[in-house]
Amino acid sequence: MSYLCVNIDHIATLREARGEEEPDPIEAARLVEKAGAQGITVHLREDRRHIQDRDVVTLRKTVKTKLNLEMAATNEMIKIALRIKPDQVTLVPEKRQELTTEGGLNLKSSPARFEKAIDSIQRKGIPVSLFITPDPKTIELSARLGATFIELHTGQYSQSFRLGGNVKREFASLVFGAKLGTNLGLKVHAGHGLTYQNVTPIAALPEIEDLNIGHNIVARASMVGLEKAVSEMLVLLK
Ligand code: PXP
């Protein structure tokens, strides 16, 4: 069984669309935890398009489960993470124009920079997760760079599920990646594009500890309420 970390960025997206105080991500996190989820995930983007610095500061004080801070591996973000001390940092690639995190980290473009970032965060007692595609070479490099976790990008799997692609192949590559990561001593998470329809086989993989799910839960919450949306996902994870 995997644990559920709910990404509440889109609650802040709605707030920012109006430029006012509601809906409040802090209250959303409280309801997500009340419904039984095991963690809260937020992405503090360079352009601050949804989650704001003050949200992360307050969430650090209010979240009782686990606060997972997604961020780019920039000096600015590393300083913020070291100050706020989330329970976990997930390093993600970030492009200004993208609608959501598009691909996995390109670790081989600058391994020394990633190694330094991972080390500076983990030295302060905050474990680091690397958001990567389930590519064996990238998984091996993640282990060499000293990360505690990898988060396998489930976007290709989700897309093939939605558009009728080769779901079996994409699923097999996640299974292989999860086993390889575990064999290399990494703890394995997964996320991106997961839905009530496609989550069950992923949640059943014994190697995968946490699932980070945002869009589909918040979309469902807009119809039935956040606690119900989270509870429904928790049932599927069990
Ligand atoms: N994991 C990571 C690293 C992400 O960047 C995102 C999207 O913010 C998610 C998981 C959640 O993806 P989704 O919103 O499609 O569930």
Side-chain angles (χ1 to χ4, degrees):
M1 190 197 98
S2 304
Y3 291 127
L4 176 63
C5 295
V6 179
N7 182 315
I8 57 168
D9 292 349
H10 284 343
I11 302 290
T13 302
L14 193 53
R15 176 190 63 189
E16 297 303 309
R18 190 68 189 232
E20 294 178 9
E21 292 80 32
E22 288 180 327
D24 179 13
I26 313 304
E27 175 62 2
R30 191 184 71 74
L31 292 172
V32 165
E33 289 189 315
K34 189 164 168 246
Q38 290 87 3
I40 302 293
T41 296
V42 289
H43 184 174
L44 186 65
R45 295 187 76 101
E46 191 191 7
D47 62 10
R48 307 300 197 271
R49 70 168 78 146
H50 38 55
I51 292 292
Q52 305 296 313
D53 298 55
R54 68 176 189 282
D55 296 323
V56 190
V57 170
T58 309
L59 286 168
R60 173 61 300 178
K61 293 183 198 143
T62 57
V63 167
K64 296 187 180 67
T65 52
K66 159 175 165 175
L67 179 62
N68 172 29
L69 177 63
E70 285 182 11
M71 56 180 231
T74 60
N75 289 338
E76 182 205 8
M77 287 298 158
I78 292 169
K79 265 192 210 149
I80 291 173
L82 296 184
R83 199 178 69 241
I84 296 178
K85 296 193 172 59
D87 298 301
Q88 179 191 305
V89 161
T90 300
L91 296 179
V92 298
E94 206 175 287
K95 291 190 214 108
R96 281 219 169 213
Q97 300 311 321
E98 68 191 355
L99 292 178
T100 177
T101 317
E102 275 167 3
L105 289 164
N106 183 359
L107 298 175
K108 66 178 187 309
S109 66
S110 42
R113 183 170 72 86
F114 282 106
E115 192 168 29
K116 195 165 161 241
I118 294 165
D119 181 57
S120 63
I121 300 166
Q122 293 198 147
R123 216 171 330 133
K124 299 289 180 188
I126 308 165
V128 172
S129 180
L130 302 177
F131 185 52
I132 57 169
T133 55
D135 158 56
K137 283 202 164 59
T138 310
I139 295 169
E140 281 159 13
L141 183 52
S142 301
R144 285 205 299 281
L145 295 180
T148 303
F149 303 97
I150 48 173
E151 179 178 342
L152 296 178
H153 195 316
T154 49
Q156 286 290 106
Y157 163 80
S158 303
Q159 189 127 331
S160 65
F161 200 96
R162 194 163 60 95
L163 303 174
N166 195 336
V167 182
K168 259 192 181 166
R169 186 189 63 202
E170 301 304 339
F171 182 67
S173 114
L174 290 165
V175 172
F176 185 83
K179 285 189 195 309
L180 176 62
T182 306
N183 290 340
L184 292 169
L186 292 158
K187 293 182 180 185
V188 183
H189 298 162
H192 210 282
L194 293 175
T195 65
Y196 296 89
Q197 288 73 36
N198 69 23
V199 76
T200 313
I202 304 289
L205 296 177
E207 293 84 5
I208 296 187
E209 295 187 5
D210 289 1
L211 293 178
N212 287 298
I213 309 180
H215 183 86
N216 205 231
I217 291 178
V218 176
R220 176 96 183 120
S222 71
M223 302 293 157
V224 300
L226 195 48
E227 281 187 71
K228 186 162 179 351
V230 171
S231 304
E232 287 175 358
M233 187 60 83
L234 283 167
V235 167
L236 294 172
L237 266 55
K238 280 176 193 145

